[in-house]
């Protein structure tokens, strides 16, 4: 909660870099798709030609997850559609941007009068819309207020949209919200595009991420996360053995402990969690390199994992660069 407050007040540290946000959006959608019922359809129209923005990838991920989760909560009983779009637009005093909702064009035009409060230039326009029950005028006016929420106590702190608003404003962008009762809601986010030189630096940075040939076991009870990490690692040259069941992963390791050079495991898993799995692995091969991933930093920290013999801790969501650098760092230490 303190981190959310600092983000809202724009005092939190940010790891800003030129970023193509298409992969981050698609990764977030995959995670959401795996966790919501089939009665909710997710549509996506993501332009591959959009430029880069200066952003922290973890915060972009947070924006997508927050807005899509809110949409899911509204439609979980009745079902519906979440629509995610990304395009590049130009804003200037002479050009009136298309600010109509992406799903429900029949929303009252009087509610679409506000334009993005931004200087002229090129922007990414990220739209997240739903076909849920919508919001009344009073709710719509307060949705970005900290601690204002329409959810029950057990479903949130009331900081979600305030944090989203704070992140976007800190990037020099703007967020517009439209809604009508029984006609759904639409959030449209504008983020300034950076120049080609910064984009080229990003391409060169991604091209130089370290690769390898070692054999890595990836364990996570969420199949979509296992698949994402497998794809990332295999694209870097590693041989990957994916498991969504920690008991089966442990059996496979005990059967062929010399087959693997590293294990990357989730923390929160049924039956055998990441800590328990790590202890069993290390009892078979002391000093074996293990990386543990978690979304709950109050349960683990660097000091704790070192006492357990685990090499590194990675906070979720795990991004490509973080995974590539951490894996190579740990393996190079072992080989040294």
């Amino acid at each position: 909660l303190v981190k959310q407050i600092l983000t809202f007040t724009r005092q939190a540290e940010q790891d800003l870099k030129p970023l193509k946000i298409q992969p981050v959006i698609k990764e977030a959608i995959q995670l959401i798709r795996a966790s919501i019922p089939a009665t909710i359809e997710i549509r996506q129209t993501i332009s591959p030609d959009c430029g880069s923005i200066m952003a922290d990838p973890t915060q972009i991920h947070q924006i997508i997850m927050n807005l899509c989760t809110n949409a899911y909560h509204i439609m979980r009983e009745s079902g519906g559609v979440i629509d995610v779009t990304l395009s590049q637009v130009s804003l200037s005093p002479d050009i009136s941007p298309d600010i109509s909702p992406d799903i429900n064009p029949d929303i009252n035009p009087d509610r679409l009068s506000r334009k993005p409060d931004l200087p002229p230039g090129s922007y990414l326009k990220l739209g997240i819309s739903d076909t849920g029950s919508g919001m009344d005028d009073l709710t719509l006016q307060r949705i970005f207020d900290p601690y204002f929420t329409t959810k029950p106590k057990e479903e949130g702190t009331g900081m979600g949209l305030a944090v989203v608003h704070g992140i976007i404003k800190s990037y020099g962008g703007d967020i517009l919200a439209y809604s009508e009762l029984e006609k759904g809601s639409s959030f449209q986010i504008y983020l300034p595009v950076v120049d080609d030189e910064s984009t080229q630096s990003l391409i060169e940075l991604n091209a130089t991420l370290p690769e390898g040939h070692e054999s890595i076991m990836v364990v996570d009870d969420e199949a979509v996360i296992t698949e994402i990490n497998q794809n990332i690692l295999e694209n870097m040259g590693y041989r990957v053995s994916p498991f969504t069941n920690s008991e089966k992963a442990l059996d496979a390791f005990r059967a062929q402990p010399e087959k693997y050079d590293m294990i990357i495991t989730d923390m929160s898993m049924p039956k055998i969690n990441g800590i328990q799995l790590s202890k069993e692995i290390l009892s078979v091969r002391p000093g074996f390199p293990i990386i543990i991933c978690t979304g709950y930093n109050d349960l683990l920290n660097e000091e704790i994992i070192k006492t357990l013999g685990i090499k590194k801790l990675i906070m979720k969501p795990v991004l490509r660069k973080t995974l590539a650098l951490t894996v190579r760092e740990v393996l190079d230490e072992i080989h040294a």
Side-chain angles (χ1 to χ4, degrees):
L1 184 59
V2 170
K3 285 185 178 180
Q4 291 183 348
I5 294 170
L6 288 173
T7 300
F8 171 73
T9 59
R10 305 179 210 171
Q11 294 179 25
E13 292 184 9
Q14 294 176 313
D15 182 20
L16 301 185
K17 62 191 71 176
L19 179 70
K20 291 274 192 181
I21 69 171
Q22 292 94 327
V24 181
I25 295 172
K26 291 179 180 179
E27 178 182 327
I29 290 174
Q30 283 184 299
L31 292 175
I32 294 162
R33 178 69 280 168
S35 61
I36 65 175
T39 54
I40 296 177
E41 178 185 357
I42 300 180
R43 299 174 185 168
Q44 52 180 307
T45 307
I46 311 297
S47 171
D49 302 322
C50 295
S52 300
I53 62 172
M54 290 297 295
D56 182 330
T58 302
Q59 291 183 332
I60 296 297
H61 194 281
Q62 183 179 6
I63 290 169
I64 307 298
M65 295 295 289
N66 189 297
L67 292 175
C68 287
T69 300
N70 284 351
Y72 153 63
H73 283 157
I74 292 169
M75 300 186 294
R76 59 185 159 189
E77 294 183 2
S78 61
V81 178
I82 298 174
D83 192 70
V84 182
T85 63
L86 181 71
S87 59
Q88 185 164 329
V89 298
S90 295
L91 300 182
S92 75
D94 302 325
I95 300 176
S96 179
D98 176 15
I99 56 175
S100 59
D102 298 301
I103 289 183
N104 296 312
D106 57 336
I107 288 181
N108 185 345
D110 292 340
R111 301 170 69 87
L112 309 179
S113 58
R114 185 169 98 76
K115 296 181 180 180
D117 182 19
L118 297 167
S122 293
Y123 293 84
L124 295 193
K125 177 187 172 186
L126 171 62
I128 299 179
S129 304
D130 66 69
T131 57
S133 56
M135 295 175 276
D136 59 29
D137 287 345
L138 181 61
T139 301
L140 189 61
Q141 291 170 10
R142 297 194 59 193
I143 55 173
F144 297 121
D145 292 351
Y147 306 116
F148 174 78
T149 181
T150 58
K151 296 179 182 179
K153 289 182 180 179
E154 65 273 11
E155 287 190 1
T157 62
M159 284 296 294
L161 287 177
V163 170
V164 167
H165 183 271
I167 292 170
I168 293 165
K169 285 295 186 179
S170 73
Y171 292 168
D174 196 9
I175 178 170
L176 285 66
Y178 311 116
S179 186
E180 268 192 78
L181 289 174
E182 307 307 324
K183 292 184 179 180
S185 302
S186 178
F187 290 86
Q188 296 180 14
I189 297 164
Y190 293 83
L191 299 167
V193 174
V194 297
D195 57 39
D196 292 338
E197 184 178 342
S198 298
T199 302
Q200 184 60 35
S201 298
L202 173 66
I203 294 172
E204 292 173 357
L205 175 63
N206 285 336
T208 58
L209 288 177
E211 299 180 343
H213 60 275
E214 289 88 349
S215 178
I216 301 176
M217 176 185 286
V218 173
V219 189
D220 196 302
D221 61 311
E222 292 283 353
V224 64
I225 297 178
T226 304
E227 183 180 351
I228 290 170
N229 289 340
Q230 179 183 1
N231 290 339
I232 290 173
L233 292 167
E234 287 182 342
N235 287 336
M236 295 176 182
Y238 297 102
R239 290 170 284 122
V240 179
S241 300
F243 290 87
T244 55
N245 183 301
S246 53
E247 290 181 314
K248 292 182 178 179
L250 180 56
D251 290 341
F253 185 85
R254 284 171 172 165
Q256 294 179 289
E258 301 303 322
K259 176 182 176 180
Y260 306 100
D261 299 299
M262 169 183 283
I263 289 180
I264 302 171
T265 178
D266 184 32
M267 171 57 191
S268 300
M269 297 183 292
K271 297 183 179 179
I272 301 178
N273 65 30
I275 294 295
Q276 294 166 330
L277 177 62
S278 299
K279 289 180 178 178
E280 294 294 333
I281 295 296
L282 292 171
S283 70
V284 177
R285 284 185 61 182
F288 185 80
I290 299 173
I291 295 174
I292 196 163
C293 306
T294 181
Y296 306 95
N297 59 353
D298 56 334
L299 300 179
L300 287 177
N301 57 47
E302 294 290 345
E303 184 177 342
I304 293 174
I305 66 166
K306 286 181 181 178
T307 63
L308 297 171
I310 298 168
K311 300 299 181 183
K312 284 290 181 179
L313 171 68
I314 300 180
M315 297 304 300
K316 288 185 173 182
V318 181
L319 301 171
R320 179 174 180 268
K321 178 184 175 183
T322 301
L323 187 62
L325 294 176
T326 305
V327 166
R328 196 66 257 161
E329 177 186 350
V330 171
L331 289 171
D332 289 344
E333 284 181 3
I334 298 298
H335 296 329

